[in-house]
Amino acid sequence: MAKTDQKDANSIGDVVDGLDELAGEEDKVRIGDVLDKFGSRSFAPVMLVLALIEISPVGAIPGVPTFLALCVALVAVQLLFGRDHIWVPGWIENRSVSSDKMDGATDKLDGIANKLDKLSIDRMTWLTKGPAVQVAAGIILLLCFAVPPLEVLPWASAAPMFAIAIISVALMVRDGLAMLIAYIIAALATTGVGFWFFSSGGSGSGGGFLPF
């Protein structure tokens, strides 16, 4: 497969455009293709890509939310410990989704991306750099743990992944206010998981594994 040119992503629109380009190049889009497209140093854009895929109709496929949460968690751990490059094992790198599904997902995400980009500006940057980056990575990890139990409820896993998407955007564009909003969403999402888990007697379980 031909290697794609790396794309500097500075907005949600850039990320969605990058996914659209990948969908137009091959029959399937691999996790490895995403890493090639956005670069092995692009922690926030790669996490944003994975979160957006889960929020899209692709996330309705059983097992997909849990798998994508695993991928995000792997990236977040490396960000937490200050790695310079993203590494993923080959079995994750080679997982793929059909270009038709990806193309449909990007079509639905395009309008949302444009609206969110208009709201994202450079403010309260102290919340998006230095030790705050490690705090963000830790919160992303907690949100990833919330995804598997929520997968048994239709679209419920989109809540923590939406928070992850906003945190990733905040890191990309240095928007501290967006980071605060994402933390509020994260708190609501994790509270919801706790309430559902304990009200169901701790018997909740995640979905199956990624079927592609």
Side-chain angles (χ1 to χ4, degrees):
M1 180 180 62
K3 208 164 180 73
T4 57
D5 293 332
Q6 288 193 357
K7 184 181 183 71
D8 292 329
N10 298 307
S11 68
I12 308 175
D14 287 345
V15 169
V16 173
D17 288 344
L19 288 175
D20 192 48
E21 290 171 12
L22 285 174
E25 291 168 357
E26 298 289 341
D27 293 333
K28 292 185 177 181
V29 178
R30 298 164 51 252
I31 297 294
D33 296 332
V34 173
L35 292 176
D36 288 341
K37 188 70 175 179
F38 296 100
S40 61
R41 294 175 182 269
S42 304
F43 288 86
V46 169
M47 290 190 294
L48 175 58
V49 167
L50 297 170
L52 289 177
I53 292 173
E54 199 281 337
I55 294 168
S56 77
V58 176
I61 302 173
V64 169
T66 295
F67 176 77
L68 292 174
L70 171 64
C71 294
V72 172
L74 183 59
V75 175
V77 165
Q78 295 174 70
L79 180 62
L80 180 65
F81 288 100
R83 279 185 59 91
D84 292 330
H85 296 79
I86 299 172
W87 172 86
V88 295
W91 66 272
I92 288 181
E93 188 176 33
N94 291 321
R95 292 287 176 172
S96 62
V97 65
S98 71
S99 292
D100 288 342
K101 289 180 179 177
M102 183 63 71
D103 190 50
T106 56
D107 287 344
K108 292 182 180 298
L109 291 170
D110 194 48
I112 297 174
N114 291 332
K115 291 178 181 178
L116 290 177
D117 280 338
K118 292 177 181 178
L119 298 175
S120 300
I121 60 175
D122 187 12
R123 53 196 167 186
M124 299 170 65
T125 57
W126 58 275
L127 280 172
T128 64
K129 57 186 179 181
V133 174
Q134 278 67 49
V135 172
I139 291 175
I140 288 173
L141 276 174
L142 291 175
L143 289 167
C144 289
F145 293 141
V147 170
L150 284 177
E151 192 178 342
V152 300
L153 303 174
W155 296 109
S157 62
M161 291 301 260
F162 180 70
I164 290 171
I166 300 300
I167 292 173
S168 300
V169 171
L171 291 172
M172 286 168 55
V173 303
R174 303 282 193 230
D175 189 340
L177 180 58
M179 188 71 80
L180 285 177
I181 293 172
Y183 288 165
I184 293 171
I185 297 172
L188 292 173
T190 52
T191 299
V193 171
F195 177 79
W196 172 79
F197 184 81
F198 288 110
S199 66
S200 63
S203 60
S205 60
F209 201 69
L210 190 68
F212 55 76

